[in-house]
């Protein structure tokens, strides 16, 4: 990662921590992979290209007591508020990093952003994001402890969202990451965690995850994962 | 990973970003406040460029400290946004070059 980008990310996290917002958030998306190097204790992992989006998952209902206006909090760093797409999801943009906020999509599918008045912004609703909240773990981003989804949750979530992707390259990337993470988890004998997560899945989710693996020609991984299911 | 698609997505983001910084810059009040001392008294002028690029001085007289601070803040913000826009423009050039080079391979 480039130094200015890394420094800016650290500053963003430090400010969120100082405002006591960080413990409520879960870092998701490709930046988690960087932190998973700590979990797997291997620095060479996940060195592939990363986009600038830094996604924060907000558990709902958000029980934050004090209101904090995040666009104002980051304004002096040069962040601007941008409304993305026709639905108008808010994004805080900067040449080094783009901050996005997500909430789990529950119930009927809708494009409407989810208002988060406690944070002074809105968030994009995404399906299956509850998985990322099932078993968060704490890892260090420089000197800042931050919650990220357990790699097992991250991998299984990727398998579920892959078929929903419109762009073929994103679908391929989701599967590639899921496969890499699952292999690492099996190597580390993390089957109990995978089993625990899979057991909390509805049958249709387990079926989709396995279908994606066999569709990608990952038969061995498919069989190993199928063995863990109920 | 499909590098080309990622670069294209990043280029799209950078173009959007450049537009937003330009919009934000055009929204900031124009000009900087400069102080002139005449017979021991401080008077202020607003210095700005007109549409033809000519420097213009607009007499403001005596100005409240709050307004001086406001203009100082605007000046800093303008410099920051210009700097960040220049950075984005650099990224756009780099991404376009990279995409053209990839297309040529």
């Amino acid at each position: 990662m480039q130094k200015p980008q890394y420094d800016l990310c650290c500053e963003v996290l430090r400010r969120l921590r100082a405002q006591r917002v960080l413990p409520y958030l879960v870092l998701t998306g490709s930046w988690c992979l960087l932190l998973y190097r700590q979990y797997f204790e291997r620095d060479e992992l996940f060195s592939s290209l990363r986009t600038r989006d830094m996604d924060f998952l907000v558990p709902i209902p958000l029980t934050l007591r004090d209101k904090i206006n995040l666009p104002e909090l980051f304004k002096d760093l040069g962040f601007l508020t941008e409304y993305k797409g026709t639905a108008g999801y808010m994004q805080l943009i900067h040449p080094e990093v783009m901050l996005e906020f997500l909430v789990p999509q529950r119930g009927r599918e809708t494009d409407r952003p989810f208002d988060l008045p406690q944070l002074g912004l809105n968030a994009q609703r995404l399906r299956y994001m509850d998985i990322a909240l099932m078993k968060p773990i704490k890892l260090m981003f420089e000197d800042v402890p931050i919650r990220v989804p357990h790699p097992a949750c991250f991998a299984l979530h990727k398998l579920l969202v892959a078929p929903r992707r419109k762009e073929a390259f994103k679908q391929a990337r989701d599967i590639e990451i899921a496969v890499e993470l699952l292999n690492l988890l099996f190597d580390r004998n993390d089957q109990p965690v995978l089993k625990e997560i899979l057991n909390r899945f509805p049958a249709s989710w387990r079926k989709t995850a396995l279908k994606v693996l066999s569709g990608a020609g990952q038969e061995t991984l498919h069989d190993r994962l199928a063995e863990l299911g109920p | 990973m499909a590098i080309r698609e990622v670069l294209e997505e990043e280029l799209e983001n950078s173009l959007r970003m450049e537009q937003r910084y330009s919009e934000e810059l055009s929204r900031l009040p124009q000009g900087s406040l400069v102080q002139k001392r005449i017979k021991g008294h401080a008077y202020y002028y607003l210095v700005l460029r007109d549409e033809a690029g000519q420097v213009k001085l607009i007499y403001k007289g005596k100005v409240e400290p709050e307004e001086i601070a406001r203009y100082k803040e605007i000046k800093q913000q303008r410099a920051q946004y210009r700097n960040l826009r220049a950075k984005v423009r650099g990224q756009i050039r780099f991404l376009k070059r990279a995409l053209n080079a990839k297309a040529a391979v």
Side-chain angles (χ1 to χ4, degrees):
Chain A
M1 199 194 311
Q2 291 173 330
K3 188 81 168 69
Q5 187 183 45
Y6 188 79
D7 291 347
L8 184 65
C9 290
C10 289
E11 181 57 26
V12 164
L13 295 177
R14 282 183 197 126
R15 287 186 184 200
L16 287 171
R17 180 178 57 175
Q19 297 297 326
R20 300 194 189 119
V21 178
L22 200 57
Y24 293 88
L25 308 178
V26 175
L27 181 71
T28 58
S30 57
W31 290 78
C32 289
L33 298 175
L34 191 78
L35 302 188
Y36 288 157
R37 289 175 184 171
Q38 287 168 44
Y39 181 84
F40 293 109
E41 295 170 339
R42 284 173 61 181
D43 285 346
E44 82 285 3
L45 293 175
F46 311 114
S47 52
S48 58
L49 202 60
R50 199 176 3 262
T51 56
R52 280 174 285 186
D53 330 31
M54 195 176 195
D55 302 326
F56 290 100
L57 176 62
V58 186
I60 46 172
L62 179 61
T63 50
L64 189 68
R65 265 194 217 157
D66 303 319
K67 278 189 180 181
I68 173 79
N69 189 312
L70 295 187
E72 276 302 313
L73 181 69
F74 301 127
K75 199 178 173 187
D76 68 302
L77 295 172
F79 279 95
L80 295 180
T81 305
E82 164 83 336
Y83 294 87
K84 201 179 156 190
T86 47
Y89 309 119
M90 282 167 86
Q91 199 180 31
L92 302 179
I93 58 168
H94 186 284
E96 299 296 348
V97 68
M98 304 193 300
L99 309 179
E100 290 190 6
F101 295 83
L102 312 170
V103 292
Q105 166 98 268
R106 289 171 190 159
R108 208 155 43 92
E109 205 78 34
T110 173
D111 265 356
R112 243 171 358 101
F114 186 91
D115 281 329
L116 290 167
Q118 300 101 312
L119 303 177
L121 40 78
N122 69 34
Q124 185 177 1
R125 300 169 204 245
L126 284 183
R127 188 63 74 191
Y128 302 122
M129 284 316 282
D130 278 310
I131 300 170
L133 298 170
M134 280 182 176
K135 201 178 174 63
I137 54 169
K138 231 177 228 180
L139 293 173
M140 296 301 286
F141 197 112
E142 194 68 30
D143 59 333
V144 187
I146 181 153
R147 293 198 304 161
V148 293
H150 190 283
C153 297
F154 194 95
L156 294 170
H157 175 258
K158 287 282 172 199
L159 290 181
L160 292 180
V161 295
R164 298 169 67 92
R165 294 282 202 187
K166 286 176 192 144
E167 301 94 337
F169 80 97
K170 285 191 179 174
Q171 190 181 85
R173 191 172 58 179
D174 284 342
I175 297 170
E176 189 188 318
I177 291 169
V179 166
E180 193 173 352
L181 276 173
L182 288 172
N183 281 322
L184 286 163
L185 288 162
F186 278 113
D187 289 349
R188 205 176 173 271
N189 294 320
D190 264 341
Q191 286 89 328
V193 186
L194 277 165
K195 193 180 166 83
E196 181 195 328
I197 308 295
L198 278 173
N199 284 341
R200 291 169 71 181
F201 275 18
S204 60
W205 291 13
R206 284 196 297 271
K207 204 173 148 190
T208 305
L210 292 171
K211 199 175 155 190
V212 171
L213 279 177
S214 64
Q218 298 289 335
E219 292 305 336
T220 316
L221 211 47
H222 169 278
D223 296 346
R224 293 184 84 180
L225 204 64
E227 275 171 23
L228 300 174
Chain B
M1 193 198 303
I3 294 173
R4 183 171 186 87
E5 284 87 349
V6 175
L7 293 178
E8 278 171 354
E9 197 175 284
E10 285 298 288
L11 177 61
E12 205 177 292
N13 285 333
S14 290
L15 289 168
R16 209 157 40 91
M17 228 177 257
E18 188 207 11
Q19 194 186 342
R20 278 292 288 120
Y21 278 109
S22 296
E23 275 170 20
E24 215 58 33
L25 277 164
S26 66
R27 270 189 210 139
L28 290 174
Q30 278 194 313
S32 299
L33 217 50
V34 293
Q35 189 198 61
K36 287 198 182 284
R37 286 212 158 262
I38 301 165
K39 292 180 183 168
H41 295 283
Y43 297 96
Y44 287 86
Y45 287 84
L46 188 64
V47 187
L48 45 89
R49 280 184 194 276
D50 64 13
E51 282 170 12
Q54 296 287 319
V55 177
K56 270 174 66 175
L57 275 121
I58 299 168
Y59 179 68
K60 298 281 281 183
K62 286 176 184 168
V63 173
E64 295 296 319
E66 294 80 31
E67 202 176 348
I68 297 169
R70 193 174 73 89
Y71 270 101
K72 196 177 165 190
E73 199 182 303
I74 290 166
K75 192 178 171 183
Q76 282 169 353
Q77 203 163 48
R78 191 184 299 122
Q80 185 187 38
Y81 289 167
R82 276 188 182 149
N83 198 305
L84 292 171
R85 187 175 61 178
K87 197 171 216 170
V88 175
R89 284 178 174 166
Q91 289 171 350
I92 292 170
R93 279 194 299 275
F94 170 81
L95 289 163
K96 280 184 174 170
R97 264 204 313 270
L99 283 164
N100 285 339
K102 264 200 90 60
V105 173

